[in-house]
Each structure stands twice: as C-alpha cells, then as structure tokens.
Amino acid sequence: MKIPVIINGTKVVLSADPSEMLLNVLRREKIYSVKCGCEEGMCGNCTVLLDGKPVPSCICYMATVRDSTIETLEYIKQNPIYQDIITGFNQANLHLCGYCNSGKILIAYQILNEYYRPDVSIIKDAIKTLSPCCTDKDSLVNGILYAIAAKHKREGKNQNGKKK
C-alpha cells in the first residue's frame, strides 16, 4: 500500500503494509534514531513526533499515519530548542545513553513548544509512561526545567515572558 506522509520536512510516499509498525518502516528508510526496545510503547526508544505529539512508533500502525507529519530526532537536532534541551539535561547531570534519547528529548521538545512555563505536574504527566534506561524521572523533570530556563535565556526573556 502507498502511504503519503511528511518525514522530517520532506513529502514521501511509503510502501508499507497497513498493519506494519511505523518503527520498522522508519528503520527501513534509514532513520536510526528510532530504536527497537520494549515493543510495547513504554521505553521511549522509538519515540517520534506524529503531528507534533510524541508517540511510540513501535505500536503505531502504518494505516494510522497516512497524511501525517513525522519528525524524528535527526530533524529536531536542527532546531535551536534541541540545544536548549541538551543544555538543560547537562545542568541536571542527565547522561544520554544513546538508546532512549528519542523519548526524553522529544517529550522535552513538545513541552518546550507547547508551554511557556509548565507546572511540574504537566512535565510529570508527559513522562509518566516513559521508562528511560539511563536516568530516573526526577532527574528528567529537572533537566526539562533547566531546558525551559535555557530557552528563555536564549530568547532573551525574563520570568514574566517579556523581552529584556
């Protein structure tokens, strides 16, 4: 079946069985930031942004992604927010193992895009199903909070969201 999508800013038509998982198709397309882990949507290793929302690609059927926008870690690395996230993670002493990076970074990316100053409960809710293999959830929350501060600093905004 031919399935039109936008992957990392490029319109493509993928050949895939509708019951095939997005993870397998992305790997076939040589997108290696998505990694196979639990295959149950819990570990975060295969996370992508599907129409702006982080989803585990290991449980996402190709039939559901028709005409969607898919963004992977390879694409997000080009955005200034990525560096804010890395800065925040470093400040929180969060070490990226290379395996579960997509889940942590893409969830942080969505939070930084959707909220100016999210409450800690919003961050905890966003990461509640994530089971990162190399860090604890409290450190991840702190890393995201530091990333928000780094974004504000880069944008030259004060605590009230106004330009300095």
Side-chain angles (χ1 to χ4, degrees), residues 76-90 112 147 150-151 154:
I76 298 306
K77 284 182 176 182
Q78 302 169 33
N79 190 301
I81 292 175
Y82 173 80
Q83 191 55 53
D84 299 332
I85 293 166
I86 297 304
T87 298
F89 283 10
N90 287 338
L112 268 69
K151 179 182 179 210
R154 177 181 52 81

Side-chain angles (χ1 to χ4, degrees), residues 111-119 148-149 151-153 155-163:
I111 291 168
L112 268 69
N113 271 324
E114 286 192 15
Y115 301 96
Y116 178 74
R117 192 171 302 286
D119 185 84
I148 292 163
K151 179 182 179 210
H152 294 173
K153 182 177 180 182
E155 292 175 341
K157 293 181 179 175
N158 65 20
Q159 290 183 355
N160 298 321
K162 297 191 170 130
K163 289 276 187 186

Side-chain angles (χ1 to χ4, degrees), residues 85-127:
I85 293 166
I86 297 304
T87 298
F89 283 10
N90 287 338
Q91 286 179 313
N93 292 318
L94 226 105
H95 301 285
L96 299 174
C97 68
Y99 204 69
C100 61
N101 293 3
S102 289
K104 292 185 288 195
I105 292 170
L106 293 177
I107 287 172
Y109 183 85
Q110 182 215 9
I111 291 168
L112 268 69
N113 271 324
E114 286 192 15
Y115 301 96
Y116 178 74
R117 192 171 302 286
D119 185 84
V120 171
S121 64
I122 290 171
I123 297 171
K124 286 183 176 182
D125 188 56
I127 67 168

Side-chain angles (χ1 to χ4, degrees), residues 117-154:
R117 192 171 302 286
D119 185 84
V120 171
S121 64
I122 290 171
I123 297 171
K124 286 183 176 182
D125 188 56
I127 67 168
K128 71 181 174 196
T129 60
L130 194 61
S131 298
C133 58
C134 59
T135 191
D136 62 277
K137 290 188 179 183
D138 288 335
S139 296
L140 182 53
V141 169
N142 288 335
I144 293 170
L145 290 170
Y146 282 126
I148 292 163
K151 179 182 179 210
H152 294 173
K153 182 177 180 182
R154 177 181 52 81

Side-chain angles (χ1 to χ4, degrees), residues 8 30-34 71-78:
N8 294 335
K30 300 189 181 353
I31 297 174
Y32 297 121
S33 68
V34 291
E71 295 172 325
T72 66
L73 192 53
E74 288 90 346
Y75 188 70
I76 298 306
K77 284 182 176 182
Q78 302 169 33

